[in-house]
Amino acid sequence: MTESQGAADSTPARLSHLDASGRPRMVDISAKQDTDREATAKGSVQMKAETLSLALSGRGAKGDVLTTAQLAGVMAAKKTHELIPLCHPLLLTDINVSLEPDEKRNAMDITATVRTSGKTGVEMEALTAVCVAALTIYDMLKAADRGMRIGDIRLVRKTGGKSGDIELE
């Protein structure tokens, strides 16, 4: 069960990033045990067939779209704590961002898997990697297709920590 399912079982969900008076706070993780943790997130960018071909050719006006998007996703995961105000800075041990074209849907599917051994999970880092990779694809191809759609960004799996393993897809 996920934390957001509290409403389904009539137990109110507790928001850990709010103090007793409802003000935002960084969660104190000092008493938590270090565990191996992993999170995988996915998303996609839908575009015209011609735009997908351009991305796959490696000859876009701004350069190699796929390699640049991969690198942007990796860099974003490493800087998540600078972008999301209440995230802890983490020592990430592995970041993998992959891009897979789906020519039937005219889409570029993005998957990011992030690993660490520590006191808190890496879900936000995986989600951030997908978001920034998608934005990079958009930025690099927008001259050819301003109608691209970024979407379906979601956490699909996480392992480790107190809540254990969760498969969402």
Side-chain angles (χ1 to χ4, degrees):
M1 178 166 86
T2 64
E3 289 181 41
S4 63
Q5 289 175 320
D9 67 6
S10 74
T11 305
R14 189 181 130 268
L15 300 176
S16 60
H17 285 83
L18 299 177
D19 67 16
S21 62
R23 302 216 13 103
R25 69 174 181 96
M26 182 177 260
V27 175
D28 181 359
I29 59 171
S30 57
K32 293 174 85 174
Q33 296 296 314
D34 284 352
T35 63
D36 292 336
R37 297 162 182 270
E38 179 180 303
T40 300
K42 292 186 177 187
S44 66
V45 182
Q46 291 187 304
M47 59 194 77
K48 296 176 187 173
E50 307 81 46
T51 309
L52 182 59
S53 293
L54 181 61
L56 295 173
S57 75
R59 295 188 311 268
K62 290 188 173 186
D64 182 346
V65 174
L66 303 183
T67 300
T68 305
Q70 266 186 309
L71 288 172
V74 169
M75 292 171 63
K78 294 176 3 177
K79 294 193 170 278
T80 299
H81 70 281
E82 295 176 20
L83 301 169
I84 310 295
L86 301 175
C87 283
H88 292 84
L90 301 177
L91 176 62
L92 304 179
T93 57
D94 187 37
I95 305 167
N96 181 23
V97 177
S98 64
L99 300 128
E100 186 69 35
D102 183 335
E103 295 186 46
K104 289 181 183 175
R105 293 179 21 251
N106 294 322
M108 185 64 65
D109 293 328
I110 306 161
T111 303
T113 300
V114 180
R115 292 181 185 88
T116 192
S117 182
K119 296 177 183 291
T120 190
V122 287
E123 296 92 336
M124 295 307 300
E125 287 73 11
L127 288 161
T128 300
V130 169
C131 290
V132 171
L135 289 168
T136 300
I137 291 169
Y138 185 94
D139 179 55
M140 294 188 74
L141 295 171
K142 69 185 176 208
D145 184 358
R146 293 211 184 258
M148 287 179 285
R149 296 181 70 132
I150 296 171
D152 202 21
I153 297 170
R154 72 239 182 245
L155 181 70
V156 296
R157 185 170 70 82
K158 76 121 205 118
T159 63
K162 188 172 117 180
S163 61
D165 299 355
I166 299 172
E167 290 282 337
L168 300 169
E169 189 174 76

